Amino acid sequence: MKIERAAAIPLVVHDPYFSVWSAADRLNDGDPVHWSGARQALRGSLRVGGEDIVFLGNAPQMRAAEQEEVSVTASSTEYRFRADGLPFTVRFTSPLLLSDPVLLSRPVTYISVRIPAEAVFAGSVSLCFTVSRDLVSRSDAVLSAFFGRYGKEKPFSYAMMGRAKQKPLGDSSDNTPIDWGYAYLASDTPGAAVFFDAALGALVLTGTFNEEREINLALAYDDLVSINYFGDFLKALWTEKYPTILDAVEGAFLDREETLEKAAAFDKELEKAALDAGGEDYAFLALMSFRQTIAAHKLIRDEKGELIFLSRENDSNSCIGTVDVSYPSVPLFLLYAPELVKGMLRPVFRFADCPVWPYDFAPHDVGRYPYAWGQVYGLKRDIGLYDHEAGTVCPPVYQFPKGADVFRLEGQMPVEECGNMLIMTAAAALTDGNADFARPYFETLKGWTAYLLEYGEDPGEQLCTDDFAGHLAHNVNLSLKAIMGVEAFSILNRLVGNAEEEKRYHEKAAAMAKSVLSRSAAGDHTALVYGNEGSWSLKYNAVWDRIFKSGLFPQSFFDTELSYYIKKENGFGVPLDSRADYTKSDWILWCTAMTDDPEKRKALIGPVARFLKETESRYPFSDWYDTKTGKYCHFKGRSVQGGIYMPILLDRIRK
């Protein structure tokens, strides 16, 4: 899809640490950045007619190539340029194919610079491409480097660099790029030379275009160790197939054509589904959120051989495996990789079973990235367990004994996380057509359902996932989550063949729904909180009634709510609720799925697309922004934008 502009455009996007974006209108307007905003300088130039012309990065000493067009798909970003009349394209492909876990995990992006076959030029044209030390170090630390050739089946030239002093997993602070591991630049194009330039502190590729008129590169990253998972230092999943990162790079060169064909086919399929679900603006949002959503995770396998898919709560508090971050993201993964939803849930069930967890409701998270060591949200601050300073790591909370008393009750999200875990577990089970995944956790799920039955219909003062808005009592949308959580347990009982319990829990959910709708009715909408008819909010949690086909809420409820939201819409979207002008883009798209009316869908989608196209805040697709100014409030590069896919998910289920 051709795009005119976006807040930030994905270039090399794999995981929370290996994530490089262009935050400029033109690729040569400035250096690329990490999702956090830290510089991640990549530079590219062509020598045409004896003059160096820059197309990538900040090089004011060079003349800039003319950027003619940008196209974005789920897997790729392609720029079209012209330099002294010579057309050429630059393409970045991070093949995050959800159907192939090893490929999804492999940290190798394809980069190609190509001159069209029909282009005519006199003399030689050469390429210079550099990767700065920014990718491996946040300071001017001494680097180690090497360059040479490798390849058992597919020879290629490569260069690598990294800090001489390595401290893998040496930091768990937020908004920071990696400070350990090694970056690799490689090419299998004959005649291309790849080396380390000590003076520049950069990996460099040079090459002259041959009769094929294309130079292929690969940019890769070896983080050495990816996650500390309940005490085990674990590597990324790709290491199961490839002994070293050089083997992974060789594998990428060997399967390049096949992988690019698969990626192109998937890109086409996804774009068509998005166009059918909501038109061009919606397709734009879906394509711009795909790589971002996946790359806010790390994929590993635990000691049992089970997939573990851990999110990082970017630009928030760096929590790992956050339940209320997984919850909005799951539509994308339910569509294309339900096994990854299970990979999000397993760590939470594991921590909930630890003696240190004292509550009869679900946890919020399992640590702070890259340490899955036990919940940090709501830890008691007076014992120094909640420190965001660079270079700090939270302690292994999962090891603490029963009665350790390290959590603040007022800092928890009881109804929120119980509902989230139940809904996600039921959704994953429905994709399987059985509840085999849920069986080991059934008693835990039953306990969380009991909590929702006792406290969910009219929650007391507590936090929900929109915790930036503060504590709130009598939150109607939170009541809707509790209802859907109880209904989720009814579904799980159906899938295990317990018809009597299925009926019992469904009837309880139906009774709760009837009560909540009656108590929250405010004429042409439902209230934000019980007893305040002048208040209102996006009731995004109710969308699961349509996904589950439960029939707990009448169609008139959805129709009335959607019409009211459209009336409340500002230039960049519908506010989250009546308390402020800010919104959450993922929740707007969840609400969009509450209607089949294409005009209503477009009315809700258009302003969100406008935000991403026009905002002055140059960060990867922020989910929390002001609907009047279009300015980012907080949150960038987060996995929650998987929620953009809710309309496609609903359309697929309803077919």
Side-chain angles (χ1 to χ4, degrees):
M1 167 178 279
K2 296 177 184 178
I3 66 172
E4 295 296 323
R5 183 185 185 275
I9 296 176
L11 302 179
V12 181
V13 184
H14 287 276
D15 63 44
Y17 285 132
F18 192 29
S19 182
V20 184
W21 298 71
S22 173
D25 290 347
R26 290 174 291 274
L27 191 59
N28 48 19
D29 275 351
D31 286 327
V33 295
H34 183 252
W35 63 258
S36 64
R39 190 185 70 170
Q40 302 265 268
L42 306 178
R43 305 273 172 84
S45 62
L46 290 190
R47 176 165 281 256
V48 183
E51 181 184 11
D52 292 323
I53 303 176
V54 65
F55 62 83
L56 167 62
N58 180 29
Q61 72 278 15
M62 297 183 192
R63 185 155 59 92
E66 179 187 355
Q67 181 174 305
E68 297 183 327
E69 187 178 286
V70 186
S71 297
V72 174
T73 68
S75 302
S76 296
T77 300
E78 182 174 276
Y79 291 85
R80 290 180 57 186
F81 291 97
R82 191 170 293 272
D84 275 358
L86 179 69
F88 65 98
T89 61
V90 182
R91 188 176 183 89
F92 300 83
T93 303
S94 301
L96 305 182
L97 296 180
L98 291 165
S99 60
D100 185 337
V102 173
L103 181 60
L104 178 68
S105 172
R106 189 174 71 187
V108 183
T109 282
Y110 298 109
I111 306 171
S112 66
V113 183
R114 181 176 179 273
I115 299 173
E118 65 273 13
V120 178
F121 58 96
S124 67
V125 176
S126 58
L127 168 70
C128 181
F129 192 98
T130 66
V131 178
S132 81
R133 62 180 296 135
D134 297 339
L135 272 72
V136 299
S137 180
R138 299 197 295 266
S139 66
D140 291 330
V142 176
L143 299 184
S144 295
F146 181 79
F147 55 94
R149 287 185 64 79
Y150 187 81
K152 302 166 187 174
E153 300 178 60
K154 181 74 172 178
F156 60 91
S157 300
Y158 78 95
M160 56 82 73
M161 65 179 174
R163 289 173 60 107
K165 183 181 287 187
Q166 290 284 324
K167 296 181 179 179
L169 308 192
D171 192 348
S172 69
S173 55
D174 193 21
N175 268 300
T176 52
I178 198 168
D179 211 24
W180 61 87
Y182 298 92
Y184 288 75
L185 181 64
S187 178
D188 65 347
T189 299
V194 189
F195 56 94
F196 174 72
D197 187 316
L200 286 176
L203 307 177
V204 181
L205 176 144
T206 60
T208 300
F209 288 90
N210 56 26
E211 60 275 7
E212 297 299 324
R213 299 192 175 203
E214 185 170 19
I215 296 179
N216 295 310
L217 302 82
L219 182 55
Y221 206 97
D222 184 5
D223 61 5
L224 306 178
V225 180
S226 295
I227 298 290
N228 188 303
Y229 188 67
F230 292 95
D232 290 330
F233 287 91
L234 300 181
K235 295 185 176 184
L237 190 74
W238 63 267
T239 60
E240 293 182 355
K241 180 175 181 179
Y242 303 106
T244 71
I245 189 66
L246 289 174
D247 294 313
V249 172
E250 181 184 27
F253 284 133
L254 285 168
D255 64 30
R256 179 175 56 210
E257 296 308 316
E258 178 186 1
T259 298
L260 291 177
E261 287 178 7
K262 288 180 179 177
F266 175 76
D267 292 350
K268 185 177 180 180
E269 172 194 336
L270 190 153
E271 185 169 347
K272 182 181 185 305
L275 286 168
D276 291 345
E280 289 195 5
D281 277 344
Y282 180 60
F284 169 69
L285 295 177
L287 299 179
M288 289 299 300
S289 60
F290 183 82
R291 278 172 278 172
Q292 170 175 320
T293 298
I294 298 167
H297 296 83
K298 196 71 176 182
L299 182 60
I300 59 174
R301 201 183 297 274
D302 68 9
E303 74 280 3
K304 298 178 182 178
E306 295 179 324
L307 289 178
I308 305 296
F309 196 48
L310 290 160
S311 64
R312 175 175 175 170
E313 197 169 341
N314 293 341
D315 195 33
S316 176
N317 55 16
S318 198
C319 280
I320 190 170
T322 304
V323 177
D324 57 282
V325 168
S326 294
Y327 175 70
S329 79
V330 294
L332 172 60
F333 302 107
L334 290 171
L335 273 166
Y336 298 113
E339 286 300 314
L340 295 181
V341 178
K342 300 174 189 175
M344 299 176 191
L345 297 171
R346 290 187 180 105
V348 184
F349 283 121
R350 180 166 177 169
F351 177 66
D353 199 38
C354 289
V356 70
W357 184 246
Y359 302 118
D360 54 354
F361 52 79
H364 167 273
D365 62 81
V366 296
R368 202 167 75 190
Y369 196 94
Y371 286 84
W373 273 9
Q375 178 170 313
V376 298
Y377 197 84
L379 281 172
K380 290 185 175 179
R381 299 174 187 238
D382 59 353
I383 54 176
L385 294 177
Y386 202 73
D387 188 350
H388 284 296
E389 291 183 12
T392 61
V393 174
C394 283
V397 176
Y398 78 98
Q399 295 180 354
F400 291 5
K402 184 177 181 179
D405 190 27
V406 295
F407 298 104
R408 295 176 293 111
L409 180 60
E410 67 274 14
Q412 307 306 316
M413 299 184 183
V415 171
E416 174 71 36
E417 308 303 18
C418 287
N420 291 341
M421 288 297 292
L422 282 154
I423 291 167
M424 288 190 288
T425 303
L430 284 170
T431 64
D432 288 342
N434 62 69
D436 292 349
F437 167 74
R439 286 180 187 275
Y441 316 115
F442 222 77
E443 286 305 307
T444 298
L445 292 164
K446 184 177 181 180
W448 292 343
T449 306
Y451 188 94
L452 295 180
L453 287 171
E454 184 170 356
Y455 300 106
E457 185 175 325
D458 187 357
E461 185 173 297
Q462 59 181 264
L463 295 169
C464 70
T465 186
D466 307 312
D467 55 353
F468 48 83
H471 287 73
L472 185 67
H474 316 300
N475 185 338
V476 175
N477 190 45
L478 199 54
S479 297
L480 299 182
K481 178 163 290 180
I483 293 165
M484 296 316 306
V486 174
E487 179 65 14
F489 195 60
S490 170
I491 291 168
L492 290 170
N493 274 281
R494 182 181 80 223
L495 292 173
V496 299
N498 194 337
E500 185 175 329
E501 290 294 275
E502 173 200 358
K503 180 181 179 183
R504 185 166 75 89
Y505 283 104
H506 175 73
E507 288 176 349
K508 288 180 179 293
M512 291 172 70
K514 183 177 180 180
S515 172
V516 168
L517 288 183
S518 174
R519 295 171 61 197
S520 65
D524 58 353
H525 68 282
T526 54
L528 165 66
V529 295
Y530 298 116
N532 185 348
E533 294 188 3
S535 66
W536 63 275
S537 64
L538 296 177
K539 301 303 190 300
Y540 53 83
N541 287 314
V543 73
W544 290 103
D545 187 50
R546 303 194 88 208
I547 298 291
F548 291 160
K549 301 179 181 179
S550 302
L552 297 174
F553 305 108
Q555 187 58 45
S556 59
F557 161 75
F558 294 109
D559 293 341
T560 299
E561 285 293 304
L562 266 291
S563 296
Y564 190 80
Y565 301 159
I566 292 170
K567 288 194 296 185
K568 291 294 183 179
E569 196 164 55
N570 292 322
F572 294 101
V574 185
L576 179 66
D577 58 48
S578 51
R579 289 174 290 180
D581 289 325
Y582 56 62
T583 196
K584 290 281 271 83
S585 52
D586 44 336
W587 297 144
I588 292 177
L589 269 294
W590 278 41
C591 291
T592 300
M594 287 159 53
T595 180
D596 298 323
D597 185 328
E599 295 307 312
K600 284 185 176 180
R601 283 192 174 189
K602 289 179 181 179
L604 291 168
I605 291 166
V608 179
R610 182 185 171 208
F611 159 74
L612 188 55
K613 293 174 182 178
E614 299 181 12
T615 180
E616 299 173 7
S617 305
R618 305 308 294 263
Y619 304 117
F621 199 175
S622 173
D623 51 292
W624 178 20
Y625 64 87
D626 190 284
T627 60
K628 288 185 175 178
T629 66
K631 291 182 179 179
Y632 144 97
C633 294
H634 218 60
F635 304 161
K636 55 201 175 194
R638 301 209 310 161
S639 64
V640 302
Q641 298 297 26
I644 298 295
Y645 286 79
M646 185 61 91
I648 302 177
L649 176 64
L650 183 74
D651 289 354
R652 179 174 294 185
I653 288 171
R654 290 172 65 84
K655 282 184 178 178

